[in-house]
Amino acid sequence: MLSKDQIAQRIAKELQQNWYVNLGIGIPTLIANHVPKGIDVIFQSENGILGMGPFPFEGEEDADLINAGKQTITAMPGAVIFDSATSFAMIRGQHINLTVLGAMEVSDSGDIANWKIPGRMVKGMGGAMDLVASAENIIVAMMHTNKRGQSKLLKQCSLPLTGVKCVKKIVTNMAVLDVTPQGFKLIERAPGVSVEDIQNATEGRLIVEEEIPEMIF
Amino acid sequence: MDKRVANVQAACEGIESNMTLMLGGFGLCGIPENCIAELVKKNVNGLTCISNNAGVDDFGLGLLLQKKQIKKMISSYVGENDEFERQMLSGELEVDLIPQGSLATRCYMGGAGIPAFFTPAGYGTEVGEGKEVRWFDGKPHLLEAALTADFAIVKAWKGDHFGNLIFKGTARNFNPMMAMAGKITIAEVEELVEPGELDPNFIHTPGVFVQRIFQGEKYEKRIEQRTVRTRQS
């Protein structure tokens, strides 16, 4: 099984030269630490910056420079700041090459639920609905099962949806899967995890073709 | 032309109970601290507040929530506030949650004279319930209406007598669109300068959108999530 940091590390291998990338809160944020050598990507934060850098050194925090998680950040050389409407024009207009976000549930047709649990305090969707509705390339980073051991990869989402038919790829602590018209297609296994383990932890339609390789880091 | 007003009291003149206000900011970044404090003092209530977030318990819009001055919040994310949660769950506070990009664009449209736009955000979710759907390029879109407000209250870094504004860092966020969408727009700035001092090439909000401007005091600029890295020795 992968740690959260290893999930981020595996997703980082998907990054391509000169991509603009939007990372959600949680596991996706960790991807910035694993950008492969020789690959230049620019991180967007939807509150209005392209070229988001690492956290500032202690004592250099600037209240006027935060990311969408309200964390203090830095700006890389060549960074640019803009307003929220421009920021979502980049997202809606598909100028951002990759969006990575967390999820509570994903269905085998690519629906995603990640903003609301009935009966619990609703915090809001933030920018997630805009991101999933428009991004051409969406990777979900999440654990394969929830805290009660139930699959988060389902035939149909049970929670209120954030978007429909939008997720393209999922990287969990157990596997890498593509979302295809026929369901989840198993691409890679985490080290030490068998195809059977993944089948048992996946409630939605799972396609297993030929030998499934183990992930290489 | 001179849009300067003497102080925050003069800036907030005419704001009454049951009005709709837009307030700039993302989290606690770029919020109009002086005007929020004045609204608490004025004790206006029944307010509808359009703002991306709702502050924290003891800062930002949380200060108005504590005194139960807000009737309805229109926001995209409201997570950081216990009093907000209490009022929402007890039904005292009405909450309309809107996808962040739709919120930003709806404010922009309110100021730009565009009554509505189609966006894919929220299609197939509860946000889309009851909204008109149209298909463009093989993809479903929701019709979302423009937003306006009786007063828009924004915070900028620098401004001049004409109401021209420059923002600093990610404190820009929702402020420029909200400045456009207020029937009356109040700008509080950290530094009020003479016309001509701001380079026209680098003004973010043209003064035509702003009716009142003043220099704010004692900016606290609270940090919500202080995240740092340690220096490698």
Side-chain angles (χ1 to χ4, degrees), chain B:
Chain B
M1 186 174 288
D2 193 349
K3 295 175 180 177
R4 289 176 299 167
V5 292
N7 49 39
V8 66
Q9 290 81 18
C12 292
E13 204 179 292
I15 299 181
E16 291 168 11
S17 292
N18 304 311
M19 279 186 165
T20 296
L21 309 180
M22 280 183 186
L23 298 109
F26 189 101
L28 301 178
C29 181
I31 58 171
E33 296 183 17
N34 282 244
C35 285
I36 291 171
E38 176 62 17
L39 292 173
V40 173
K41 274 194 211 146
K42 270 176 93 87
N43 211 19
V44 287
N45 52 48
L47 298 172
T48 295
C49 291
I50 303 170
S51 178
N52 188 52
N53 313 93
V56 295
D57 273 312
D58 60 346
F59 203 56
L61 289 182
L63 299 171
L64 293 174
L65 284 164
Q66 274 188 7
K67 290 188 68 192
K68 300 185 180 164
Q69 292 173 266
I70 301 178
K71 178 182 72 180
K72 181 177 181 179
M73 277 302 309
I74 299 176
S75 305
S76 86
Y77 192 84
V78 292
E80 331 289 351
N81 192 324
D82 290 340
E83 178 60 17
F84 185 100
E85 180 171 351
R86 195 197 64 70
Q87 290 183 23
M88 182 173 162
L89 294 175
S90 70
E92 292 165 65
L93 180 69
E94 211 182 313
V95 181
D96 192 1
L97 292 169
I98 296 177
Q100 198 174 120
S102 299
L103 180 62
T105 303
R106 290 173 70 179
C107 293
Y108 168 80
M109 292 189 309
I114 305 168
F117 85 127
F118 283 101
T119 178
Y123 172 79
T125 77
E126 60 189 60
V127 166
E129 285 167 18
K131 286 179 184 155
E132 185 182 335
V133 175
R134 286 264 297 269
W135 290 66
F136 298 94
D137 297 327
K139 209 174 153 176
H141 292 71
L142 301 177
L143 184 66
E144 295 279 6
L147 288 167
T148 55
D150 297 307
F151 283 84
I153 308 174
V154 303
K155 150 77 180 25
W157 178 35
K158 292 181 181 179
D160 67 18
H161 303 189
F162 295 169
N164 295 314
L165 303 176
I166 292 178
F167 303 91
K168 182 166 167 274
T170 55
R172 191 176 328 175
N173 56 63
F174 281 81
N175 282 297
M177 288 86 61
M178 290 185 171
M180 294 169 68
K183 290 191 187 95
I184 295 173
T185 291
I186 303 164
E188 58 170 89
V189 298
E190 288 177 56
E191 199 180 330
L192 189 55
V193 302
E194 297 285 328
E197 285 189 39
L198 302 179
D199 183 337
N201 292 296
F202 296 102
I203 288 169
H204 300 130
T205 291
V208 66
F209 296 120
V210 175
Q211 280 69 46
R212 302 174 188 175
I213 189 166
F214 71 102
Q215 185 167 305
E217 291 175 346
K218 298 177 189 148
Y219 281 102
E220 194 177 328
K221 291 200 184 181
R222 209 182 281 189
I223 291 174
E224 213 166 322
Q225 305 281 344
R226 186 179 300 275
T227 44
V228 295
R229 67 191 144 133
T230 47
R231 279 173 213 276
Q232 307 278 334
S233 56

Side-chain angles (χ1 to χ4, degrees), chain A residues 101-105 110-116 124-134 157 159-167, chain B residues 99 120-127:
Chain A
L101 72 179
M104 300 169 188
E105 296 176 348
D111 296 350
I112 177 172
N114 73 350
W115 76 285
K116 183 176 180 180
M125 68 292 283
M129 283 192 184
D130 308 271
L131 282 159
V132 300
S134 292
C157 295
L159 296 169
L161 294 181
T162 309
V164 293
K165 293 187 174 61
C166 52
V167 177
Chain B
Y123 172 79
T125 77
E126 60 189 60
V127 166

Side-chain angles (χ1 to χ4, degrees), chain A:
Chain A
M1 300 263 195
L2 303 186
S3 66
K4 288 181 177 178
D5 200 52
Q6 285 172 312
I7 295 175
Q9 203 178 338
R10 175 61 191 82
I11 295 173
K13 289 178 69 180
E14 303 289 319
L15 299 173
Q16 292 182 23
Q17 179 69 5
N18 296 337
W19 267 9
Y20 291 97
V21 179
N22 181 293
L23 301 178
I25 294 165
I27 300 173
T29 307
L30 303 171
I31 293 168
N33 303 329
H34 296 289
V35 179
K37 272 212 170 78
I39 298 281
D40 293 315
V41 293
I42 291 187
F43 291 113
Q44 191 222 28
S45 196
E46 65 268 22
N47 58 318
I49 181 169
L50 273 178
M52 174 172 54
F55 295 149
F57 289 119
E58 208 166 345
E60 292 179 2
E61 310 92 296
D62 179 354
D64 291 327
L65 200 55
I66 63 167
N67 63 18
K70 287 122 187 167
Q71 298 171 311
T72 46
I73 54 161
T74 54
M76 298 296 283
V80 54
I81 307 261
F82 35 84
D83 64 60
S84 301
T86 306
S87 186
F88 282 92
M90 294 172 193
I91 291 164
R92 209 184 292 113
Q94 301 189 331
H95 305 279
I96 302 298
N97 303 96
L98 173 66
T99 290
V100 187
L101 72 179
M104 300 169 188
E105 296 176 348
V106 178
S107 82
D108 61 24
S109 55
D111 296 350
I112 177 172
N114 73 350
W115 76 285
K116 183 176 180 180
I117 301 175
R120 284 217 221 145
M121 168 65 184
V122 182
K123 292 189 169 189
M125 68 292 283
M129 283 192 184
D130 308 271
L131 282 159
V132 300
S134 292
E136 278 180 297
N137 193 4
I138 299 175
I139 301 179
V140 164
M142 66 177 189
M143 305 311 271
H144 210 97
T145 54
N146 65 22
K147 280 174 188 150
R148 285 162 303 188
Q150 297 158 327
S151 181
K152 294 170 72 170
L153 291 91
L154 307 172
K155 288 191 185 75
Q156 270 192 322
C157 295
S158 64
L159 296 169
L161 294 181
T162 309
V164 293
K165 293 187 174 61
C166 52
V167 177
K168 301 287 186 292
K169 190 184 273 297
I170 305 161
V171 178
T172 73
N173 52 332
M174 300 181 81
V176 178
L177 309 104
D178 282 346
V179 180
T180 71
Q182 290 75 39
F184 300 118
K185 184 176 179 195
L186 187 55
I187 305 295
E188 290 175 20
R189 300 174 287 116
V193 175
S194 69
V195 169
E196 199 187 351
D197 293 336
I198 296 163
Q199 282 168 327
N200 289 336
T202 307
E203 194 245 6
R205 291 174 296 164
L206 182 70
I207 304 157
V208 183
E209 286 174 357
E210 302 169 357
E211 279 293 290
I212 304 298
E214 214 170 75
M215 288 177 209
I216 301 164
F217 286 95

